[in-house]
């Protein structure tokens, strides 16, 4: 029988109302597991955090990475399930995937409806995640998200709906499998780039901000990010990755001063490309911005922060294995 470690961090799956219509993460891992009928896996469990994922800090992310690494290192553990809020699941999943160097799977799951709602999806998602983590076919597939009967790779998977019970979708790709009753079916292999090192304490204070381009945007927020201590900025360009004249000028000075400026898109799917001048992506790249390929914005920020915290500048070359 497979053995799975279940780690809980809070999120809607662990939430119930604390005042009319307002939920907070207030349940622990034992509460989550109590809803499960006997499963064909053995389980040990632990609470890592008990919070909404919209509150997570880099220090919290590092704690999660350490808890997952500890579980994976145990010989008796075949896989790990991480119960997590859906809001920022894409960030935690991608960070865990970047550092994952084990054959054992890590499966994130959560819920869209709080645990005290009669139609809460948490227990069903947790049961599915356990099946995936225990399945021999999950080995060497890295970090995945199991949600609403589907299995997604960490990289490229985003929350794309605020309330749907099936809120996740993989950009520039698709799910890697599904759960059909007791059957776990894998249909694809996620891309597995070389593992990066687990974040250390310097990750906690590594500030990388996202600056969005929009009608009327200038470089004021980019400058404010640097003043607030950012060592990296990801520009959320329009379309294929375009900016404006003020940003182009700012990028030139910021890159000369040593700041890491990445270029991603505020569009969910597709690569960024240096196709336009007159303040567009070609000018941003000429000024020193680094193209983040097809990596979604939130995950581009995580990659940049992890590399910077480990004294690796996110250059076209250093990010190449992680961005497509
Ligand atoms: N809606 C979120 C969730 O599913 C809240 C959070 O991310 O913690 O858990």
């Amino acid at each position: 029988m497979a053995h799975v470690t279940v780690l809980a961090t809070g999120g809607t799956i662990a939430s119930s109302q604390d005042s009319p219509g307002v939920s907070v993460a207030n349940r622990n891992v034992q509460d989550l597991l109590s809803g499960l009928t006997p499963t064909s896996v053995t389980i040990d469990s632990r609470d890592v955090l008990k919070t909404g994922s919209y509150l997570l800090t880099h220090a919290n992310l590092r704690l999660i990475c350490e808890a997952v690494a500890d579980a994976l290192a145990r010989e008796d553990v075949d896989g790990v399930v991480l119960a997590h809020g859906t809001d920022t699941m894409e960030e935690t999943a991608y960070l865990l995937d970047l550092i994952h160097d084990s054959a054992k799977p890590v499966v994130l799951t959560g819920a869209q409806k709080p645990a005290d709602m009669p139609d809460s999806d948490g227990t069903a998602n947790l049961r599915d995640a356990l099946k995936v983590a225990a399945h021999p076919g999950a080995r060497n597939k890295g970090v995945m998200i199991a949600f609403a009967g589907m299995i997604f790779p960490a990289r490229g998977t985003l929350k794309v709906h605020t309330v749907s019970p099936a809120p996740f979708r993989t950009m520039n790709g698709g799910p890697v499998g599904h759960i059909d009753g007791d059957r776990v079916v894998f249909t694809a292999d996620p891309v597995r780039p070389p593992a990066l090192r687990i974040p250390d304490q310097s990750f906690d204070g590594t500030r990388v901000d996202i600056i969005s381009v929009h009608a009327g945007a200038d470089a004021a927020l980019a400058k404010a990010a640097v003043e607030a201590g950012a060592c990296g900025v990801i520009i959320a360009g329009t379309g294929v990755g375009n900016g404006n004249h003020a940003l182009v000028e700012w990028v030139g000075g910021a890159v000369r001063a040593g700041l890491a400026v990445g270029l991603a898109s505020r569009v969910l799917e597709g690569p960024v490309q240096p196709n336009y001048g007159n303040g567009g992506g070609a000018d941003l790249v000429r000024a020193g911005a680094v193209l983040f390929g097809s990596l979604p914005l939130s995950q581009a920020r995580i990659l940049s922060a992890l590399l910077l915290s480990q004294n690796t500048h996110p250059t076209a070359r250093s990010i190449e294995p992680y961005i497509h």
Side-chain angles (χ1 to χ4, degrees):
M1 201 182 271
H3 185 80
V4 177
T5 294
V6 178
L7 302 172
T9 63
T12 297
I13 193 169
S15 293
S16 58
Q17 288 198 14
D18 80 333
S19 60
V22 179
S23 298
V24 291
N26 52 14
R27 298 194 171 191
N28 60 30
V29 73
Q30 282 313 324
D31 299 326
L32 269 57
L33 293 171
S34 66
L36 290 175
T37 45
T39 55
S40 55
V41 295
T42 57
I43 293 170
D44 72 275
S45 62
R46 136 160 132 80
D47 289 297
V48 182
L49 295 164
K50 202 197 283 179
T51 184
S53 74
Y54 45 87
L55 292 177
L56 292 179
T57 63
H58 280 198
N60 293 151
L61 292 182
R62 182 165 61 84
L63 194 67
I64 293 171
C65 289
E66 288 168 356
V68 169
D70 285 351
L72 290 173
R74 279 173 41 195
E75 270 188 20
D76 60 320
V77 171
D78 297 296
V80 175
V81 166
L82 182 69
H84 193 287
T86 55
D87 285 11
T88 63
M89 192 179 282
E90 65 208 41
E91 294 169 59
T92 305
Y94 183 61
L95 178 62
L96 288 169
D97 198 47
L98 282 173
I99 61 168
H100 190 77
D101 66 352
S102 166
K104 301 174 187 178
V106 176
V107 185
L108 284 83
T109 196
Q112 282 284 68
K113 300 220 169 157
D116 57 348
M117 281 197 176
D119 56 347
S120 174
D121 47 342
T123 301
N125 282 337
L126 186 57
R127 193 181 302 118
D128 281 352
L130 282 166
K131 287 179 205 161
V132 176
H135 196 278
R139 285 182 72 81
N140 298 309
K141 287 196 166 49
V143 179
M144 293 167 278
I145 294 174
F147 214 98
M150 303 301 293
I151 309 167
F152 304 94
R155 176 157 49 157
T157 297
L158 299 181
K159 185 174 185 180
V160 295
H161 200 288
T162 53
V163 294
S164 162
F168 288 99
R169 193 157 69 76
T170 307
M171 305 300 123
N172 308 294
V176 292
H178 57 273
I179 304 110
D180 173 15
D182 277 338
R183 262 175 8 114
V184 176
V185 181
F186 287 103
T187 50
D189 282 324
V191 179
R192 306 285 313 128
L196 295 170
R197 275 179 290 124
I198 189 167
D200 61 23
Q201 269 186 2
S202 60
F203 183 67
D204 301 4
T206 301
R207 181 170 180 140
V208 176
D209 286 319
I210 294 176
I211 302 296
S212 191
V213 182
H214 50 79
D218 59 18
L221 292 181
K223 289 176 188 160
V226 177
E227 261 169 43
C231 58
V233 161
I234 300 290
I235 297 175
T238 57
V240 82
N242 296 309
N244 53 53
H245 296 289
L247 264 183
V248 170
E249 194 188 327
W250 173 80
V251 170
V255 168
R256 274 194 298 280
L259 199 87
V261 181
L263 180 58
S265 177
R266 63 181 213 178
V267 179
L268 290 182
E269 202 150 18
V272 282
Q273 291 172 351
N275 292 352
Y276 295 92
N278 198 21
D283 290 349
L284 289 170
V285 169
R286 212 172 300 121
V290 173
L291 293 165
F292 268 67
S294 301
L295 200 61
L297 208 46
S298 55
Q299 297 186 338
R301 197 197 73 80
I302 288 288
L303 175 60
S304 183
L306 181 61
L307 290 174
L308 284 164
S309 74
Q310 298 179 345
N311 298 319
T312 301
H313 206 76
T315 59
R317 193 171 186 172
S318 65
I319 67 172
E320 167 62 23
Y322 308 101
I323 61 171
H324 297 296

